[in-house]
């Protein structure tokens, strides 16, 4: 007998996590930008057309209803069952593991399926009519999974007596079970909800032919149709994510999930105002999410971390309440407009400078690779405090740029601390300052800071060699003031993508 996973139509997509390297707080304002880096840690959405067993369901399915089962096997009690009425464009949850709901999943399904039904009439209507065995009905089975780095693996390692180091993390099974419910899992701040929303939107659009697979294939993303397709995924994902959160945020996390690494300028919130209700009409939804809607004025300038520079991430086992921190900062800004304007301008200049130095380093690597690699080799075995004091550095453009990068990130950190002190918010609290300063003394480290809104829960470093990365990790493992553990994720430039399901047999096995 052929298994269901090989006997039916399957669409698999991925969307990356994110790290906001610079631009925290300022990215909320369209007058400023943020530099966001996508990661190779991804969230995956698999959509399968298959016959679902409804024999144990008390729900009275109508002729136009499409049954949908969503499972997230890395969590305890994480499955939900829905019916989508193709005539009324409405979604009903009729069962779940704990009789609870998942607002993000529900809004993505309602929004995206309604748009599929409108943009591609008939695509969904054929499902209920497809032949299926008695007590079965053809519908959708959706699998949501994530790479391990999205969730803390501290408890998993402790259970087997393993130390909190990269080598231990590498021994864990891929997409390991967390042993927790979705509400109780400790997240690492890579943007799991934005990546989930983006990948699920994309998988549904591709599955029903609203987008073609080439639209989201890496080699074809610059074509006209692919650009519009990416914009459609972006717009729907931004809308669904904002509606699920109950507010229109900056959108940088969804943008990173769609486009990967880039310098981001936010969209004007007014583009979503008319549709920010779960009771919005389908016409309002189509207009709000259309790629032709000029209200979507966000700006995305692709960026890459310069060659041989590698992002290293650490999870700090001390949480921060990001929404509360943002509220306090915005309240201080509103109460002190002149002082805030000066500080915002200084931060914006410092943040932009980091991106400029990155671009100059990329250019240097192309124009004179020998000189570039020689400079990287030299700096990788010395602490950054020695780079500018060496007389041989005179006339070496790459070494000068690396010195500028160090000075640039130290300036950003100084201004972040000033903002935190003014607003009474621990953006770079003293504990993190001591840890980051220790990281900067390691040979081959050119950047170390708190990402995004800051706080206690994460740091990032950028290193010039594997040896420097290993040395930084030793600092983390020996740190006693806080528990600091590595993540395996590194930088990645690509955004949301369609994948070949045959290359992911472990995922396909979860559909059985």
């Amino acid at each position: 007998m052929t298994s269901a996973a090989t006997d039916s139509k399957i669409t698999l997509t991925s969307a990356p996590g994110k790290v906001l390297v610079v631009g925290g707080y300022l990215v909320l304002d369209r007058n400023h930008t943020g530099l966001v880096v996508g990661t190779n840690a991804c969230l995956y959405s698999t959509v399968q057309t298959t016959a679902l067993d409804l024999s144990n369901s008390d729900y009275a399915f109508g002729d136009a209803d499409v049954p949908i089962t969503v499972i997230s096997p890395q969590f305890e009690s994480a499955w939900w069952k829905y019916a989508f009425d193709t005539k009324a464009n409405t979604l009903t949850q009729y069962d779940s593991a704990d009789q609870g709901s998942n607002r993000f999943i529900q809004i993505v399904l309602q929004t995206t399926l309604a748009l599929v039904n409108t943009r591609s009439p008939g695509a969904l209507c054929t499902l209920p009519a497809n032949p299926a065995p008695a007590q079965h009905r053809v519908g959708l089975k959706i699998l949501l999974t994530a790479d391990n780095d999205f969730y803390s693996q501290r408890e998993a390692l402790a259970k087997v007596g393993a130390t909190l180091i990269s080598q231990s993390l590498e021994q864990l099974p891929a997409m390991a079970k967390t042993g927790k419910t979705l509400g109780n899992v400790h997240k690492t701040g890579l943007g799991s909800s934005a990546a989930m929303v983006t990948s699920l939107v994309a998988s549904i659009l591709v599955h029903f032919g609203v987008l073609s697979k080439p639209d989201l294939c890496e080699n074809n993303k610059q074509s006209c149709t692919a650009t519009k397709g990416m914009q459609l995924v972006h717009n729907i994902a931004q809308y669904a994510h904002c509606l699920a959160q109950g507010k229109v945020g900056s959108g940088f996390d969804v943008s990173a999930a769609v486009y990967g690494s880039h310098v981001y300028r936010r969209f004007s919130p007014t583009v979503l105002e008319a549709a920010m209700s779960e009771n919005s009409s389908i016409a309002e939804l189509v207009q709000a999410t259309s790629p032709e809607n000029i209200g979507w004025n966000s700006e995305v300038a692709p960026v890459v971390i310069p060659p041989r520079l590698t992002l290293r991430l650490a999870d700090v086992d001390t949480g921060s309440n990001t929404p509360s921190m943002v509220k306090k900062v915005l309240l201080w800004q509103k109460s002190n407009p002149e002082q805030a304007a000066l500080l915002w301008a200084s931060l914006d200049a410092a943040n932009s400078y980091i991106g400029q130095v990155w671009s100059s380093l990329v250019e240097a690597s192309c124009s004179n690779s020998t000189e570039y690699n020689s400079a990287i080799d030299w700096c990788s075995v010395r602490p950054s405090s020695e780079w500018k004091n060496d007389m041989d550095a005179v006339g070496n453009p790459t070494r000068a740029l690396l010195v500028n990068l160090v000075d640039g990130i130290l300036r950003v950190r100084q201004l972040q601390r000033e903002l935190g002190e003014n607003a009474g918010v621990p953006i770079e609290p003293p504990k993190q300052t001591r840890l980051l300063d220790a990281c900067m003394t390691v040979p081959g480290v050119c950047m170390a800071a708190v990402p995004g809104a800051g706080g206690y829960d994460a740091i990032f470093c950028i290193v010039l060699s594997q040896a420097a990365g290993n040395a930084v990790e030793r600092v983390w493992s020996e740190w006693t003031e806080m528990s600091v553990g590595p993540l395996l994720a590194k930088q990645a430039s690509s955004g949301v993508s369609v994948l070949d399901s045959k290359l992911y047999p472990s995922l396909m096995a979860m559909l059985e």
Side-chain angles (χ1 to χ4, degrees):
M1 180 177 175
T2 307
S3 70
T6 58
D7 191 47
S8 55
K9 180 182 177 184
I10 294 175
T11 303
L12 171 62
T13 61
S14 69
K18 53 72 187 173
V19 179
L20 186 61
V21 173
V22 291
Y25 301 101
L26 274 70
V27 77
L28 293 163
D29 186 339
R30 183 164 161 72
N31 291 317
H32 306 290
T33 61
L35 196 166
V36 59
V37 172
T39 69
N40 59 359
C42 293
L43 200 138
Y44 305 85
S45 293
T46 310
V47 179
Q48 176 190 31
T49 297
T50 189
L52 300 173
D53 184 359
L54 305 178
S55 57
N56 295 322
S57 172
D58 295 328
Y59 186 76
F61 283 89
D63 292 340
D65 283 341
V66 175
I68 303 167
T69 296
V70 180
I71 57 173
S72 190
Q74 288 169 273
F75 303 102
E76 301 294 317
S77 305
W79 58 261
W80 304 265
K81 294 186 177 182
Y82 307 91
F84 184 78
D85 186 332
T86 58
K87 288 184 178 177
N89 264 345
T90 55
L91 182 78
T92 302
Q93 178 180 312
Y94 66 87
D95 200 4
S96 70
D98 57 3
Q99 303 309 306
S101 61
N102 185 301
R103 183 169 172 81
F104 285 90
I105 293 173
Q106 192 155 345
I107 286 175
V108 172
L109 291 178
Q110 170 65 65
T111 300
T112 314
L113 290 173
L115 286 166
V116 167
N117 213 21
T118 303
R119 284 179 162 269
S120 186
L124 283 165
C125 297
T126 59
L127 289 181
N130 284 342
Q135 305 298 323
H136 287 62
R137 191 182 183 97
V138 172
L140 301 176
K141 189 171 187 179
I142 297 175
L143 174 71
L144 301 175
T145 51
D147 286 324
N148 290 340
D149 270 350
F150 281 94
Y151 313 110
S152 174
Q153 303 300 321
R154 293 169 183 273
E155 289 189 21
L157 294 180
K159 283 180 181 178
V160 296
T163 53
L164 188 59
I165 57 176
S166 291
Q167 290 88 334
S168 300
L169 293 171
E170 289 166 352
Q171 298 305 309
L172 293 174
M175 303 178 198
K177 291 184 180 294
T178 63
K180 295 186 176 292
T181 63
L182 190 54
N184 291 328
V185 74
H186 176 79
K187 297 182 178 181
T188 59
L190 291 182
S192 57
S193 65
M196 183 279 288
V197 166
T198 300
S199 63
L200 184 51
V201 167
S203 61
I204 293 172
L205 293 178
V206 172
H207 196 75
F208 289 103
V210 175
L211 298 181
S212 67
K213 287 187 177 182
D215 288 342
L216 300 184
C217 287
E218 195 59 38
N219 294 335
N220 194 46
K221 284 183 178 177
Q222 301 307 312
S223 72
C224 183
T225 56
T227 301
K228 281 194 174 182
M230 296 280 282
Q231 184 71 50
L232 181 63
V233 173
H234 170 270
N235 295 358
I236 298 173
Q238 290 284 16
Y239 168 76
H241 196 248
C242 290
L243 190 58
Q245 287 187 317
K247 62 185 178 71
V248 180
S250 71
F252 82 87
D253 44 3
V254 169
S255 189
V258 175
Y259 297 109
S261 301
H262 61 277
V263 174
Y264 174 73
R265 189 183 304 276
R266 70 159 304 153
F267 57 89
S268 300
T270 52
V271 71
L272 290 178
E273 284 180 354
M276 276 295 286
S277 165
E278 292 177 58
N279 299 317
S280 297
S281 69
I282 188 62
E284 289 173 322
L285 189 55
V286 169
Q287 169 61 21
T289 58
S290 170
E292 282 75 39
N293 186 339
I294 60 173
W296 288 104
N297 53 4
S298 56
E299 297 174 15
V300 173
V303 70
V304 294
I305 293 181
R308 298 186 60 186
L309 275 64
T310 303
L311 176 72
R312 295 299 306 267
L313 299 168
D315 168 38
V316 182
D317 195 24
T318 309
S320 301
N321 187 335
T322 299
S324 173
M325 292 170 64
V326 172
K327 270 185 189 174
K328 287 183 179 178
V329 168
L330 295 181
L331 182 60
W332 173 81
Q333 181 190 26
K334 186 176 180 180
S335 302
N336 302 271
E338 292 183 6
Q339 184 183 3
L342 291 172
L343 184 52
W344 251 239
S346 297
L347 263 169
D348 187 54
N351 294 341
S352 298
Y353 184 68
I354 298 296
Q356 292 164 14
V357 175
W358 279 16
S359 296
S360 296
L361 282 166
V362 171
E363 291 173 10
S365 72
C366 296
S367 62
N368 190 336
S369 60
T370 301
E371 183 272 330
Y372 180 87
N373 286 316
S374 175
I376 295 290
D377 290 340
W378 191 92
C379 291
S380 68
V381 294
R382 293 168 175 81
S384 60
S385 58
E386 296 181 11
W387 297 353
K388 68 169 64 176
N389 298 325
D390 189 85
M391 293 303 296
D392 292 338
V394 177
N396 187 307
T398 298
R399 211 182 295 181
L401 287 169
L402 290 170
V403 169
N404 291 345
L405 186 57
V406 172
D407 290 342
I409 196 62
L410 292 178
R411 172 65 173 161
V412 169
R413 287 179 52 199
Q414 173 198 341
L415 293 168
Q416 285 178 325
R417 290 193 297 272
E418 183 180 336
L419 174 58
E421 290 164 6
N422 288 339
V425 170
I427 295 175
E428 188 189 292
K431 285 184 178 182
Q432 291 283 54
T433 297
R434 290 188 285 272
L435 173 59
L436 294 169
D437 287 348
C439 292
M440 288 299 296
T441 66
V442 174
V445 174
C446 60
M447 293 180 69
V450 290
Y456 290 95
D457 50 6
I459 66 167
F460 74 86
C461 293
I462 292 183
V463 300
L464 303 182
S465 66
Q466 179 66 47
N470 294 340
V472 160
E473 189 171 325
R474 284 193 294 274
V475 170
W476 298 344
S477 65
E478 295 168 3
W479 201 253
T480 57
E481 192 171 12
M482 297 179 292
S483 175
V484 186
L487 301 183
L488 296 178
K490 306 292 192 297
Q491 71 264 26
S493 296
S494 60
V496 64
S497 300
V498 175
L499 307 176
D500 184 348
S501 60
K502 296 185 182 67
L503 301 178
Y504 296 82
S506 60
L507 279 180
M508 298 306 100
M510 294 182 194
L511 286 171
E512 300 294 336

